[in-house]
Amino acid sequence: MRWCFLLIAVVGLKILFCKGVSLAIFLLLFWVKGKKLGFNGDKWDDFFLQLSPQAVQRYAISIYLTAAVISSAISYLILEGFSSPYSLAIAYFLFAGGVAITAYRWHRKGKSYLLKRYQEIPQTILSRRN
């Protein structure tokens, strides 16, 4: 029974870690890019106007996969800390399950939502410039 509660807690923590790490990576990438652009608003506008939808998709997928790997590694460490049997197998299962669920949600509506929201950025920039 103890292991069931531990597993439920680890699954919940993995979900939170994945979201938190994704956000941290996203903000870090924006900070690095902002530093490279000198935190200049016009250069940011040019960057977003030149960014292709395929690049946006690649960034989103890369950020998620990196966060999923990191959160699964943290889950493994937590399971090992509690001397859980099959810690590595459970961590692999959590990673594969998370990727499968996210891939399903991505193909169902996530990809179209991301691209729709991305297409609003150039329109906003161009209307502001005029």
Side-chain angles (χ1 to χ4, degrees), residues 14 18 61 64-65 68-69 72 91-110:
K14 187 211 179 303
C18 193
I61 292 169
Y64 169 73
L65 287 176
V69 167
S72 294
Y92 280 135
F93 177 74
L94 291 175
F95 173 76
V99 168
I101 290 168
T102 302
Y104 170 74
R105 292 173 66 195
W106 173 259
H107 287 292
R108 200 171 120 242
K109 64 179 178 180

Side-chain angles (χ1 to χ4, degrees), residues 4-115:
C4 289
F5 289 126
L6 177 63
L7 187 59
I8 291 169
V10 168
V11 168
L13 287 173
K14 187 211 179 303
I15 292 168
L16 292 175
F17 283 140
C18 193
K19 291 178 185 295
V21 171
S22 293
L23 179 62
I25 292 169
F26 181 77
L27 293 173
L28 180 65
L29 287 174
F30 265 86
W31 181 78
V32 169
K33 188 64 173 179
K35 193 168 183 175
K36 184 178 178 184
L37 296 175
F39 300 104
N40 182 322
D42 292 331
K43 289 181 182 178
W44 271 110
D45 290 348
D46 294 337
F47 168 74
F48 282 117
L49 288 173
Q50 294 173 0
L51 191 62
S52 70
Q54 293 81 15
V56 171
Q57 290 179 46
R58 281 194 307 269
Y59 281 128
I61 292 169
S62 299
I63 289 170
Y64 169 73
L65 287 176
T66 303
V69 167
I70 292 170
S71 65
S72 294
I74 293 170
S75 297
Y76 167 74
L77 294 174
I78 292 170
L79 289 166
E80 275 295 306
F82 283 96
S83 301
S84 174
Y86 310 110
S87 300
L88 188 59
I90 293 170
Y92 280 135
F93 177 74
L94 291 175
F95 173 76
V99 168
I101 290 168
T102 302
Y104 170 74
R105 292 173 66 195
W106 173 259
H107 287 292
R108 200 171 120 242
K109 64 179 178 180
K111 182 179 175 182
S112 62
Y113 178 77
L114 176 70
L115 292 177

